[in-house]
Amino acid sequence: MDPTSDTEYKPGPLHGVTILDFSRVLSGPYCTMILADLGARVIKIERFGTGDDTRAFGPFIENDSAYFMCFNRGKESISLDIKSPRDRELLERLLDTSDVVVENFRPGVMERLGYGPERLAKTHPHIVYTSISGYGHSGPYSELPGYDMVVQAMGGIMGLTGWPNAEPARVGTSIGDLGAALFAVIGILASLYSRSHDAQGARVDIGMLDCQPHCWRPLWRVLTLKVLYPPEPVTTIHRWRLLRPLWLRTASL
């Protein structure tokens, strides 16, 4: 902070909270980016040798990925080889002083590394352990990898975009990843508040598919009641038709 600035620095509401971020690409990093914006200290654990996958995503500003910088701003970063005894010792010390763990691997990966939720619940019961995956850590699809486009299709949101008599279209942004990240933030904040009463950590398990119906639930209610739309796929052009009378009235003013 510029000491000559007239604006006084005020710590965010999560000042003093430490997040250990094992996640990569989008859903996890977006979640921890929001937590960092709220004042938390986020320590990003990156893969030894290569780092986060998105470090290789273009466009680049000089040698740095703009994509990576966008979703990992305000974080600290350390590269660890979790199979190395020395690095595992360091990771254990980081866990001792962390409040939240965030990961978005496929279910079972963190367990194989020795840092699954059951183990940490015994050794570090104060930690809020947060997982983001395609379909959650239970159920028939839990072992399947989760991709944004697949989750959009299965969740039904692709039926809201596109044109009549055409194939469903993917939403332009990665709403599957971003929606899951936002619900993860909600779960983390609620768990931290609960911990302030009983000093106990919690398990937050977010499935990307579970979050999709909540992203378009108001429209789902309208479709169910058949108030505004006929019983047919709701596409971009139908929403435009709904707004057309308002547009015509505005244009005539």
Side-chain angles (χ1 to χ4, degrees):
M1 183 185 71
D2 182 359
T4 63
S5 173
D6 293 333
T7 303
E8 181 182 358
Y9 170 74
K10 294 182 179 180
L14 293 185
H15 177 72
V17 174
T18 300
I19 316 290
L20 207 56
D21 181 11
F22 289 86
S23 68
R24 73 269 188 257
V25 188
L26 182 52
S27 60
Y30 187 64
C31 165
T32 54
M33 180 203 76
I34 295 173
L35 297 172
D37 288 347
L38 291 173
R41 179 192 185 193
V42 177
I43 304 174
K44 185 176 178 67
I45 307 298
E46 297 196 55
R47 185 188 309 148
F48 182 76
T50 59
D52 192 306
D53 305 58
T54 59
R55 286 186 179 273
F57 289 8
F60 295 91
I61 300 176
E62 296 180 353
N63 295 321
D64 296 318
S65 164
Y67 187 107
F68 176 85
M69 290 189 292
C70 176
F71 296 109
N72 292 281
R73 64 173 186 260
K75 305 176 186 179
E76 302 171 35
S77 176
I78 184 172
S79 177
L80 293 179
D81 178 4
I82 299 181
K83 296 180 180 180
S84 162
R86 185 187 65 176
D87 286 3
R88 290 180 72 89
E89 181 182 353
L90 175 58
L91 184 54
E92 290 293 335
R93 294 204 301 269
L94 289 172
L95 286 167
D96 289 340
T97 58
S98 295
D99 301 284
V100 180
V101 164
V102 177
E103 60 93 8
N104 64 347
F105 293 106
R106 189 187 302 187
V109 171
M110 289 294 283
E111 285 82 354
R112 289 194 293 273
L113 293 173
Y115 297 99
E118 289 77 13
R119 182 242 150 167
L120 292 190
K122 297 176 181 178
T123 59
H124 300 79
H126 66 285
I127 282 181
V128 175
Y129 194 107
T130 307
S131 300
I132 304 174
S133 60
Y135 311 99
H137 281 236
S138 62
Y141 299 137
S142 61
E143 297 298 322
L144 297 178
Y147 298 103
D148 180 85
M149 184 180 295
V150 176
V151 168
Q152 286 194 28
M154 294 180 68
I157 201 168
M158 286 175 60
L160 308 182
T161 57
W163 301 96
N165 304 316
E167 295 294 325
R170 176 185 180 275
V171 176
T173 190
S174 299
I175 191 67
D177 287 298
L178 301 179
L182 293 173
F183 279 103
V185 171
I186 294 170
I188 290 169
L189 296 179
S191 298
L192 288 174
Y193 178 77
S194 176
R195 197 186 69 170
S196 69
H197 296 287
D198 58 19
Q200 292 298 309
R203 177 81 166 95
V204 179
D205 183 11
I206 302 294
M208 293 167 60
L209 180 60
D210 297 333
C211 301
Q212 286 302 287
H214 297 279
C215 293
W216 58 283
R217 183 172 292 276
L219 184 55
W220 176 82
R221 294 290 297 173
V222 170
L223 286 170
T224 302
L225 297 174
K226 301 179 182 178
V227 174
L228 295 177
Y229 295 99
E232 60 182 70
V234 180
T235 59
T236 301
I237 193 170
H238 288 96
R239 296 202 305 279
W240 180 84
R241 283 175 177 165
L242 181 65
L243 296 175
R244 189 168 182 268
L246 176 61
W247 172 70
L248 291 175
R249 288 197 298 271
T250 304
S252 64
L253 294 179

